[in-house]
Amino acid sequence: MSDFSNQIWWTKKARIKAEKRLLRMDAISQSLLLWYSFFLVAYSIITLVVKVASLTETAIMVALSVLVLLLTLYVNNMRFKERAMLMKQCYEQLGLIYGAIGSSSDIDSLKKEFHSILSISENHKEIDYYRAVDGEYESASDKSKLSKHPTEEQKNSIRMSNNGWCVSVLVLIFLPFIIVAVIRHYSQV
């Protein structure tokens, strides 16, 4: 495999992983916003029946409601789905160039087209590239045919990233309960 076709192959694979990352970020952020909205509405209804510890607690809940509104605007401005769609367009077009390498003698025009396609979307992150290399390596039946093999550092980065995601999401899921517990604790002191 030539260096150019190799570059296209790995760029395409990294863009596929970037699309998956962006779609995952969209799903998680939308789910968390829905969860926070539900929690705040449910908590507001409960506080109509059960007396709150103090007016401070009510004020903090109103502030958190405004914060959820601002977070909703921020998440929507991140445009995760739109960015993922651009990644998909990019890697689909890269696949066409990759397929044309064997039948085209004009490599220079393919290189120009390659660089033009890369401008369709943002660049993938380094972790997307690591995931692409590791994913291809793990799924390859003949690993010796691959031009790149994941290093231990890349595998560690993937593990750390995955663990970071899990911990972050769990903390964000339980954050409303933590906030209520802290507010109640300090309003009783």
Side-chain angles (χ1 to χ4, degrees):
M1 195 181 299
S2 74
D3 287 342
F4 180 56
S5 63
N6 199 27
Q7 182 180 15
I8 294 171
W9 172 260
W10 289 112
T11 303
K12 176 186 170 190
K13 293 299 179 178
R15 298 287 169 119
I16 290 170
K17 296 297 182 181
E19 178 204 21
K20 288 180 180 180
R21 175 181 47 82
L22 290 168
L23 290 174
R24 182 179 67 229
M25 289 173 71
D26 181 64
I28 289 171
S29 62
Q30 295 299 329
S31 298
L32 284 170
L33 288 172
L34 182 63
W35 162 237
Y36 288 167
S37 298
F38 170 77
F39 181 87
L40 288 168
V41 168
Y43 191 79
S44 297
I45 292 170
I46 289 170
T47 58
L48 291 174
V49 178
V50 179
K51 185 180 176 194
V52 292
S54 70
L55 287 177
T56 305
E57 186 173 344
T58 305
I60 290 175
M61 287 303 142
V62 170
L64 289 175
S65 297
V66 172
L67 181 62
V68 168
L69 173 66
L70 295 175
L71 284 173
T72 302
L73 294 172
Y74 176 76
V75 166
N76 287 335
N77 283 330
M78 293 300 293
R79 304 175 358 258
F80 293 123
K81 278 189 177 179
E82 181 183 327
R83 291 164 54 200
M85 182 187 72
L86 292 173
M87 286 287 182
K88 183 174 184 174
Q89 287 177 353
C90 184
Y91 74 70
E92 286 174 345
Q93 290 183 20
L94 289 173
L96 295 175
I97 291 180
Y98 184 77
I101 286 178
S103 61
S104 177
S105 60
D106 189 9
I107 295 296
D108 288 334
S109 69
L110 288 177
K111 285 183 179 181
K112 285 180 186 175
E113 190 176 351
F114 171 71
H115 291 290
S116 172
I117 290 170
L118 291 182
S119 68
I120 290 174
S121 68
E122 66 194 81
N123 198 6
H124 56 268
K125 293 186 180 264
E126 194 171 22
I127 194 70
D128 300 322
Y129 172 72
Y130 293 169
R131 284 192 170 108
V133 172
D134 188 58
E136 288 299 307
Y137 182 79
E138 293 300 323
S139 65
S141 56
D142 186 1
K143 297 176 183 348
S144 65
K145 290 185 178 180
L146 290 175
S147 62
K148 299 191 184 291
H149 298 175
T151 64
E152 211 43 53
E153 180 183 330
Q154 290 171 337
K155 288 182 177 193
N156 287 336
S157 292
I158 293 168
R159 278 191 289 275
M160 286 176 50
S161 175
N162 292 344
N163 292 340
W165 268 99
C166 288
V167 168
S168 298
V169 169
L170 285 173
V171 166
L172 290 171
I173 288 171
F174 290 107
L175 187 62
F177 296 114
I178 295 167
I179 290 171
V180 169
V182 168
I183 291 170
R184 294 243 165 136
H185 173 73
Y186 283 108
S187 64
Q188 292 174 359
V189 173

